[in-house]
Amino acid sequence: MIIKVCGITRRRDALDSVRYGASALGFNFYPPSPRYLEPERARALAAELPPEVLPVAIAVARPGEDSWMGLPFDVIQLHGIEDPCQVPETDKRVWIATSPSGARRFPGHEVIIDTSWGTGTLADWAALESLNRPFLLSGGLTPRNLAEALELLDPVGVDVCSGVESAPGIKDRDKLRAFLKVAREHAAKTGDEDR
């Protein structure tokens, strides 16, 4: 199971996330976001990660904007894509951030259910119960609701941002530890550590 902590802006938070069990870290390259990170800083943080931890570039697809293509990350999480024809040609692994209804439009792509854009808005779990395809779950997850989400929806991965923060871009160590503990215990129980 992919366990991703998103909106990393500080070295301490990156290292704590890895220490407590994250398998992926998200770095935000959308300038209007309060969690935006300069590419040089993100590269430096990603260089300190162990090889088994995925650094994920969070980008917004906008007309004429493809600077994210040159980022030295193997995974790009793309927001703002409405149609498969908009997915750029790249040798990188691409996760399409979309809604439960939008996920059906991308049968050939990995999808992450994320309509909250870091606001902590809970995803529509009822719509996800009938999705019938693999997906990563994001949006409104916290240490308190994660176990229920995992049992109910069985996603291939989970992604947390504001649910483990004390302020935008600042992770709360206790919340982070609690969230990752729940995720790791579920993965061990279901045998999904490497899914």
Side-chain angles (χ1 to χ4, degrees):
M1 183 170 76
I2 296 167
I3 305 172
K4 175 169 165 273
V5 178
C6 201
I8 295 292
T9 62
R10 305 187 308 167
R11 180 177 185 270
R12 167 184 163 173
D13 294 339
L15 298 180
D16 280 349
S17 296
V18 172
R19 183 179 303 117
Y20 300 143
S23 60
L25 299 186
F27 300 93
N28 192 314
F29 295 100
Y30 181 54
S33 171
R35 300 174 184 88
Y36 172 74
L37 201 60
E38 291 286 345
E40 296 77 17
R41 179 67 180 141
R43 284 190 195 97
L45 290 176
E48 294 193 56
L49 301 179
E52 66 273 12
V53 175
L54 286 175
V56 180
I58 313 302
V60 176
R62 294 177 293 177
E65 172 56 55
D66 64 356
S67 61
W68 53 267
M69 291 281 280
L71 295 171
F73 296 155
D74 294 332
V75 183
I76 306 291
Q77 180 177 317
L78 272 181
H79 293 253
I81 299 284
E82 300 296 331
D83 188 273
C85 69
Q86 295 176 296
V87 180
E89 291 287 332
T90 177
D91 58 355
K92 298 178 185 293
R93 183 176 178 183
V94 176
W95 296 346
I96 305 298
T98 186
S99 65
S101 60
R104 302 177 198 282
R105 296 196 299 267
F106 299 95
H109 294 88
E110 292 180 272
V111 296
I112 180 166
I113 303 302
D114 184 3
T115 56
S116 76
W117 291 62
T119 63
T121 304
L122 202 63
D124 183 353
W125 291 4
L128 286 170
E129 286 185 81
S130 60
L131 191 54
N132 295 321
R133 63 158 297 169
F135 63 90
L136 285 87
L137 179 63
S138 185
L141 294 177
T142 70
R144 287 180 294 192
N145 66 17
L146 178 60
E148 180 185 1
L150 289 168
E151 290 295 332
L152 183 67
L153 302 172
D154 191 32
V156 297
V158 292
D159 179 18
V160 68
C161 187
S162 62
V164 294
E165 288 182 335
S166 57
I170 307 298
K171 304 308 181 199
D172 178 290
R173 185 173 279 174
D174 291 337
K175 291 179 183 177
L176 186 63
R177 184 190 294 115
F179 184 94
L180 293 171
K181 182 176 186 288
V182 171
R184 280 291 169 205
E185 286 177 350
H186 177 83
K189 181 177 73 174
T190 58
D192 286 344
E193 291 100 331
D194 300 315
R195 181 165 71 172

